[in-house]
Amino acid sequence: MKRKVWLAAAIVLCVLAGLRYWQVNANPVCRGVDKEIFVKKGQEVHAPGIDFKILSAKMVKGKENVYLTVKVDLKDRGYYADGKHGIIAAVSNMYFNMPYSISNQSDLYVVDGNGHKVAIGYLTSKTPQPLTLKFDNVRSWYDTENTPARFSFLVGDGNGYKKYSILLE
């Protein structure tokens, strides 16, 4: 009798676990990059929740690293991504991108429009613009790629991300 009760309980648990698995995976949300949009220096871009303009992007190849300095003007219009709001979320979604290799985020500090070093965690919509961001990447990874390096900014639109990129070469 005990064996039948345990068997029935195990079957019920397996059925409940299967139903829960089916419920969780019924409508998967893929929040990957839908589209890459190439922009030019100085072009004003109106993206969901934020307006931005890439004023300059300068890449310098060192012996062991490749360095990128980007000056960008951001206007927050309610930008939200990855649980963060505003300029902090925007800067966290900017990358020095080497396609089919590795992408790095900026250093922990940015330089604001007044020339002051500001930690990314303290950025607000009132931070003087433009911001200067610095990135670095390993030279050996850069040298092995056939596609040009780029500066990319991921902007979520609720269904996925648009990748706004500027070619660096």
Side-chain angles (χ1 to χ4, degrees), residues 49-50 74-81 83-93 123-125 153:
I50 196 159
L74 301 169
K75 291 181 185 79
D76 181 24
R77 294 185 295 109
Y79 185 75
Y80 177 81
K84 297 180 243 172
H85 291 277
I87 303 292
I88 296 171
V91 171
S92 295
N93 280 334
L123 293 173
T124 67
S125 59
F153 179 22

Side-chain angles (χ1 to χ4, degrees), residues 126-142:
K126 295 178 181 165
T127 302
Q129 300 292 321
L131 299 178
T132 303
L133 295 90
K134 296 183 185 269
F135 303 82
D136 60 65
N137 218 325
V138 178
R139 175 74 188 251
S140 61
W141 291 334
Y142 171 80

Side-chain angles (χ1 to χ4, degrees), residues 25-74:
N25 293 305
N27 296 314
V29 177
C30 179
R31 295 198 36 88
V33 174
D34 299 336
K35 183 177 184 182
E36 184 169 20
I37 301 166
F38 289 98
V39 298
K40 294 180 175 34
K41 288 180 190 172
Q43 177 182 346
E44 179 117 10
V45 178
H46 304 285
I50 196 159
D51 295 336
F52 68 95
K53 185 189 307 186
I54 300 168
L55 303 173
S56 67
K58 182 180 179 187
M59 186 172 64
V60 176
K61 300 171 198 167
K63 185 176 181 179
E64 294 184 16
N65 290 321
V66 179
Y67 303 96
L68 173 65
T69 303
V70 176
K71 192 176 276 191
V72 62
D73 189 19
L74 301 169

